[in-house]
Amino acid sequence: MVFAKKVTKTPAVMVETKKMTAKDNCGMGMCPKMKHFFVIILLIVNTILLISVFSNQTRLESDRVGGKDNYKMVQQIYKSDAFKAQQKQQIEQALSQYQQGAAKQAVQAQPAAQVPAVTQ
């Protein structure tokens, strides 16, 4: 018995691939140029906000001490040698208190040395 080969026609599928360029990419989302533009806008807005925060900081400090005149006097106080010496003395005193407290805690943490019992 001889078998005959059946030939069936199947539809041919053609797949076409195409390299996409940046110009073609704009339709699918944000163009690279638009991304750069967006980042630059964000940097400019961020810079403006930082400048406004730092400029308001001086105004807040002057309001805290009672106005611009008082703020200028406070700045003079901070720059004086007497104020610096007083602050240094207070910091050294606080540091010594903390060091003494730490030493006391270290002594309390160590077990007491056993003293031999005195017998008569």
Side-chain angles (χ1 to χ4, degrees):
M1 219 164 103
V2 177
F3 291 102
K5 187 175 183 183
K6 286 187 177 179
V7 178
T8 60
K9 289 191 173 186
T10 58
V13 177
M14 297 293 286
V15 178
E16 184 178 331
T17 59
K18 168 176 143 176
K19 186 175 183 179
M20 295 183 72
T21 63
K23 197 175 205 182
D24 296 333
N25 206 10
C26 288
M28 302 178 80
M30 198 180 287
C31 296
K33 289 181 182 179
M34 290 297 292
K35 287 180 185 178
H36 292 299
F37 180 72
F38 188 66
V39 168
I40 290 171
I41 294 297
L42 284 177
L43 285 172
I44 291 170
V45 169
N46 189 22
T47 304
I48 291 170
L49 289 175
L50 282 173
I51 290 170
S52 69
V53 165
F54 286 129
S55 65
N56 284 335
Q57 188 67 29
T58 303
R59 186 184 56 82
L60 290 173
E61 287 295 322
S62 66
D63 288 345
R64 186 179 296 166
V65 295
K68 289 183 180 180
D69 296 333
N70 289 350
Y71 183 67
K72 289 178 183 178
M73 289 189 287
V74 168
Q75 283 181 325
Q76 290 175 355
I77 290 172
Y78 288 156
K79 292 177 184 177
S80 70
D81 292 333
F83 180 77
K84 291 176 185 178
Q86 179 188 10
Q87 291 297 313
K88 182 179 179 181
Q89 181 184 13
Q90 289 178 356
I91 291 170
E92 288 172 348
Q93 183 181 11
L95 183 61
S96 68
Q97 287 177 352
Y98 287 126
Q99 287 174 346
Q100 288 174 358
K104 286 181 184 178
Q105 287 178 355
V107 169
Q108 291 174 355
Q110 293 176 352
Q114 292 186 355
V115 178
V118 178
T119 55
Q120 295 179 344

